[in-house]
Amino acid sequence: QVQSLPSKSVGLFGGGLIFRSDSNGEDLPGFAGAGLYDSVPMVKNVQRTIMYHNEPLLTDPKLADSIMRGICKVAVDVEAAYGGEPQDIEGCYRDGKFYVVQTRPQV
């Protein structure tokens, strides 16, 4: 049973790099600034409403369980690689593989 949907209702499609207007605020001690700044695509993208109701992640309990277990394993492995220090981890999942994009100590 779906309890809630992801919070982003619009996605940018088209590719290219996206730059943040200021990402340094995220790294200040005791300051969680993630999401406070503008993201600037370097190429023209198309905005589309994202329809989540048919996404397999929300409709296939086995897939959802598998992905959640994979995320947990990535988190444990990354934290172990950093001496057990809790991490703020960003990544993605595609074609059955997890990719860590960045990690930093959690504040």
Side-chain angles (χ1 to χ4, degrees):
Q1 179 181 9
V2 175
Q3 298 293 319
S4 67
L5 295 175
S7 62
K8 303 240 181 212
S9 61
V10 175
L12 292 178
F13 294 85
L17 296 174
I18 298 176
F19 291 90
R20 298 281 299 276
S21 62
D22 184 347
S23 61
N24 293 332
E26 295 178 7
D27 298 322
L28 297 174
F31 180 74
L36 295 178
Y37 305 102
D38 289 333
S39 295
V40 182
M42 298 309 295
V43 297
K44 181 133 176 92
N45 284 276
V46 176
Q47 286 191 1
R48 288 197 311 234
T49 301
I50 300 172
M51 305 301 289
Y52 292 105
H53 67 281
N54 284 329
E55 285 296 320
L57 182 59
L58 298 175
T59 60
D60 181 346
K62 287 182 181 178
L63 175 64
D65 183 68
S66 171
I67 289 177
M68 290 306 295
R69 288 177 188 277
I71 290 170
C72 289
K73 182 176 180 348
V74 167
V76 167
D77 290 349
V78 169
E79 287 188 4
Y82 284 91
E85 177 102 17
Q87 297 289 303
D88 174 4
I89 304 166
E90 297 182 22
C92 57
Y93 173 86
R94 182 173 181 145
D95 298 330
K97 293 183 181 179
F98 292 92
Y99 299 88
V100 174
V101 176
Q102 77 175 26
T103 184
R104 61 177 163 246
Q106 201 171 41
V107 292

